Amino acid sequence: MKDPVRIAITGAAGQISYSLAFRIASGDMLGKDQPVILQLLEITPAMEALKGVVMELNDCAFPLVQDIVATDDANVAFKDADFALLVGARPRGPGMERKDLLEANAAIFSVQGKALNDNASRDVKVLVVGNPANTNALIASCNAPDLDPGQFTAMTRLDHNRALTQLAQKTGKHVTDVEGMIIWGNHSATQYPDIAHCTVAGKPAAELVERDWYENTFIPDVQQRGAAIIKARGASSAASAASSAIDHMRDWALGSDGIVSMAIPADGSYGVEPGIIYSYPVKCQGGKYEIVQGLELDDFSKQKMKATEDELRQERAAVEHLLG
Ligand SMILES: NC(=O)C1=CN([C@@H]2O[C@H](COP(=O)(O)OP(=O)(O)OC[C@H]3O[C@@H](n4cnc5c(N)ncnc54)[C@H](O)[C@@H]3O)[C@@H](O)[C@H]2O)C=CC1
Ligand SMILES: O=C([O-])CC(=O)C(=O)O
């Protein structure tokens, strides 16, 4: 039996975690042979609800769960954490501008960045799910000077998975036939879902679908999918977000099968200068991710990539005073 790993989840009494914690506990993230210790963080008023979640986790009698810690103290939740899934965030309230939302979350993620810095495993892998995910990840990273910025990532895998299904359904193929999907930029409506390097069952995707469908249906549908789920369900995507968080962490830890999308610190690749957390095409191996280099970009792609980069730089400017 392997030694257990410590997995911290924030927002643990929320709707994404209600799927996420149980799937991690059952071995979906790190495998059926990897014991886990769950370290669950909530705000004080939600501790009673979190108690109920812990009762249910216990009632599942998961063979892989070695211990469950439930706390409202980030220093306790991140103690020796090998993986940290930062899901908890302040939702947008009535009359709140995007800037207010950025600031409210900036306060949360600066505290959590410091707590990770002071308590987590030196090799911790951090995934930020809570919105605005890219900029929250940047704030957490800037408040964790003893950790490598590359340890802080944000989730665009849900967008990636959404794009896979849209393209597979359009071409009458299966998601497993699609390779080379890329989400560039921000997890927001400016993201650029790019099929220029995609193949479907070995054929270039761009030759299988009309340009008009790609530009005027596929791209906006993927960009607006979160809003469409909210409209249909009356609540934002939860089980699919949890599933994508598991995909992101599993691939990072255990290796990816081809190209996947991860929001990671920009390093100048594809002309995106450092200072923001930008979604790139990556491949993962041996617990590390690497940006896929050398892809050719046409003017359409360059313009879309720049628009989403500009939005991330604006988000950064709004929270610059909190970047430490
Ligand atoms: N990156 C992505 O693809 C996606 C991101 N999201 C985002 O994920 C976040 C969580 O979504 P849900 O679970 O549906 O929300 P939720 O509102 O059901 O749960 C969030 C939980 O976080 C807790 N929380 C708030 N502040 C906290 C703090 N400082 N420390 C610990 N816990 C805290 C709340 O008490 C609540 O229980 C939202 O920001 C949502 O917009 C959702 C879907 C996809
Ligand atoms: O749109 C939202 O508020 C939730 C989200 O991030 C998504 O579903 O992609």
Side-chain angles (χ1 to χ4, degrees), residues 256-271:
S256 66
D257 192 11
I259 293 178
V260 292
S261 303
M262 284 173 75
I264 57 176
D267 68 348
S269 297
Y270 297 103

Side-chain angles (χ1 to χ4, degrees), residues 5 7 13 23 54 64 73 76 120 165 175 207 243 246-247 251 255 261 263 289 292 298 302 316:
V5 296
I7 303 173
R23 290 197 50 197
V54 173
L64 292 173
D73 181 346
V76 174
T165 299
V175 283
E207 292 173 14
S243 197
I246 284 171
D247 289 345
D251 286 355
S261 303
Y289 58 77
V292 176
D298 61 14
K302 284 183 191 157
R316 184 189 161 107

